[in-house]
Amino acid sequence: MDSFRAAVQQFVAELTPPGWQGIGALEEHEHAEFRARARAGLAERGWVAPAWPAEYGGAGLGARELVVLVEELTGAGVPFGSDNDAFGISMLGNTMLRVSSAELCARFLPKIVSGEYVFAQGFSEPGAGSDLAGLALRAQADGDRWVLNGQKLWSSGAHRANWMFVLARTNPQAAPHRGISMLLVPLDQPGVTVRPIRNITGDADFNEVFFDDALTERELVVGEVDRGWAVAMTLLGFERGESALHSPIRFRNELNRLVELVRERELTEDPDIRRRVAWCHVQVEQLRAHGARTAAKLIAGEEPGPEAASFKLLWSEYHRHSTELALDVLGLDALTPSGRPSPNWYHTDDPGAPNSSASWTSVYLNARAGTIYAGSSQVQRGIIGELLLGLPKEPKPVAAGEAARA
């Protein structure tokens, strides 16, 4: 294991210039170039998808090596790849390895690693956000293809993608959780329209996607037809679980920046600020403990399960409060942000980022979204209560007419 850690450290040393502080310290025009160069170097070694078999473009690494890779790259402020890799590799690819045929994996996974296929996620809809069972996008079988009609919403990075994994209703007569399939759909076709949505930060990282007689091949189903709900739950476990390895490192880095900001503003003796910083420290230590537990389970051969909901709830609620503290420390400067804003829509600013008011305010606005995407805090509490604590299911709301009769 020491030799592998040394190999990763050597890779970082060869990739980064002298005095490297992290990708956040780069100028805007250097950021994209470095990210692309880092991804190419990782892909060449199979480290973009380190646990995948070599025949699919991975390195066939075990869980211990994966943990080491995450620790070294995240600690050095080197990105794992593109933003869309979270969808194509961490979520879709890991799911396909468990539920898809070897033929389908061989067709898609190497091209995801190479960057030829760039994926986005198509789950939420205008009438089906946290309650995915209410989705209305239809996929109708027509010979050797599916015909899709409907809409997806809040699809992060869809404007950069050429493929999407989509939850679609393939059996409208079945119960809400049944009759759903996960399909792989090409986005570069006349039947698909991707429309970016500008958010509160002024950026347009997510999109609404319209399907008007869009087509995909009949065989491009992840898992089994009409069994997409179980496949989606597997995928969401990877979405919420794998971040436990790298997120605590990023949150610790961010908390160090926050403490530095408190010192710059000469607020170290303010009792309320001290109390809130101490609370943040406790929360980050809890996140670190969650990460260590996740790493131990991976090494033991276990995969992310419902306990990932507790990590997602903890980090998203923590980040909302910690960034509120940062804005209180900034005071009136938070109303007139200056400097470089964070380029990320997810989690923290990058390691090495300047401690500017624009950085903190942009992260603060995105932290609000963190309590909603990947399952809202209310949904996570329901999962924790039912699947981890064994509490009864939350009662369904009573319709107005039924309430009157009662």
Side-chain angles (χ1 to χ4, degrees):
M1 197 57 58
D2 290 342
S3 60
F4 179 72
R5 188 180 294 276
V8 178
Q9 292 173 345
Q10 180 65 26
F11 167 74
V12 171
E14 294 174 356
L15 179 71
T16 57
W20 174 257
Q21 297 176 310
I23 190 173
L26 297 180
E27 297 294 334
E28 183 176 357
H29 67 279
E30 301 173 310
H31 192 277
E33 187 276 334
F34 179 83
R35 181 181 285 270
R37 185 157 51 86
R39 191 192 189 284
L42 291 169
E44 182 180 351
R45 292 163 174 78
W47 291 352
V48 168
W52 291 8
E55 62 264 33
Y56 297 145
L61 299 181
R64 293 180 185 274
E65 290 88 353
L66 174 61
V67 171
V68 168
L69 184 65
V70 170
E71 289 177 348
E72 292 297 329
L73 293 181
T74 306
V78 173
F80 283 87
S82 70
D83 290 336
N84 289 71
D85 283 334
F87 305 115
I89 293 176
S90 299
M91 294 158 62
L92 174 63
N94 285 336
T95 302
M96 289 182 66
L97 284 170
R98 283 146 185 84
V99 304
S100 295
S101 66
E103 292 76 15
L104 195 62
C105 288
R107 177 176 172 182
F108 276 86
L109 298 190
K111 292 184 177 181
I112 293 174
V113 170
S114 70
E116 181 179 348
Y117 287 175
V118 180
F119 270 87
Q121 181 180 17
F123 277 19
S124 296
E125 298 181 5
S130 296
D131 181 17
L132 282 176
L135 65 87
L137 175 73
R138 296 291 182 90
Q140 184 174 357
D142 181 15
D144 61 353
R145 58 190 183 176
W146 297 99
V147 182
L148 289 85
N149 283 282
Q151 180 186 356
K152 291 297 179 182
L153 194 60
W154 315 124
S155 297
S156 299
H159 58 299
R160 296 186 295 265
N162 52 20
W163 282 85
M164 176 177 281
F165 54 92
V166 173
L167 283 184
R169 192 164 297 284
T170 48
N171 185 353
Q173 281 72 48
H177 289 81
R178 296 181 173 88
I180 294 173
S181 303
M182 187 182 294
L183 310 178
L184 305 179
V185 182
L187 296 182
D188 51 354
Q189 60 171 300
V192 177
T193 301
V194 178
R195 186 178 300 166
I197 303 171
R198 194 160 299 280
N199 63 21
I200 196 171
T201 68
D203 298 322
D205 292 311
F206 46 65
N207 309 262
E208 52 186 342
V209 183
F210 299 90
F211 300 87
D212 299 296
D213 289 334
L215 305 175
T216 195
E217 297 172 40
R218 187 76 173 267
E219 63 186 28
L220 298 189
V221 181
V222 181
E224 299 180 36
V225 175
D226 295 343
R227 300 292 181 87
W229 184 260
V231 176
M233 294 305 101
T234 298
L235 183 144
L236 290 174
F238 286 115
E239 179 183 23
R240 297 164 183 160
E242 283 203 350
S243 65
L245 296 179
H246 60 80
S247 295
I249 302 173
R250 294 182 65 97
F251 283 124
R252 167 53 62 187
N253 176 274
E254 183 184 70
L255 181 55
N256 292 340
R257 293 177 60 228
L258 177 56
V259 171
E260 180 184 343
L261 185 68
V262 170
R263 288 173 176 154
E264 290 174 357
R265 299 289 167 139
E266 299 182 350
L267 293 172
T268 54
E269 301 303 318
D270 185 296
D272 183 58
I273 297 296
R274 290 172 65 90
R275 175 187 60 81
R276 293 166 70 185
V277 169
W279 179 87
C280 289
H281 174 77
V282 171
Q283 300 306 303
V284 170
E285 286 301 296
Q286 286 192 62
L287 291 170
R288 187 182 63 81
H290 270 272
R293 183 172 63 180
T294 299
K297 287 189 173 184
L298 287 174
I299 291 170
E302 300 179 34
E303 294 184 353
E307 68 278 358
S310 60
F311 179 77
K312 200 278 175 178
L313 177 65
L314 179 62
W315 77 250
S316 60
E317 291 295 332
Y318 157 75
H319 207 209
R320 179 169 64 89
H321 289 291
S322 65
T323 53
E324 285 176 354
L325 170 57
L327 263 62
D328 287 344
V329 171
L330 286 168
L332 292 177
D333 287 343
L335 298 177
T336 56
S338 62
R340 158 205 161 291
S342 172
N344 301 327
W345 58 269
Y346 182 69
H347 278 191
T348 69
D349 203 341
D350 292 317
N355 225 358
S356 66
S357 56
S359 170
W360 282 109
T361 53
S362 58
V363 172
Y364 160 77
L365 293 173
N366 280 317
R368 284 284 175 176
T371 62
I372 300 172
Y373 59 65
S376 68
S377 292
Q378 291 83 351
V379 168
Q380 306 307 322
R381 291 187 179 99
I383 294 172
I384 293 167
E386 293 175 22
L387 300 183
L388 296 181
L389 301 180
L391 300 176
K393 289 187 176 183
E394 185 176 352
K396 294 181 179 181
V398 180
E402 295 178 9
R405 287 193 296 272

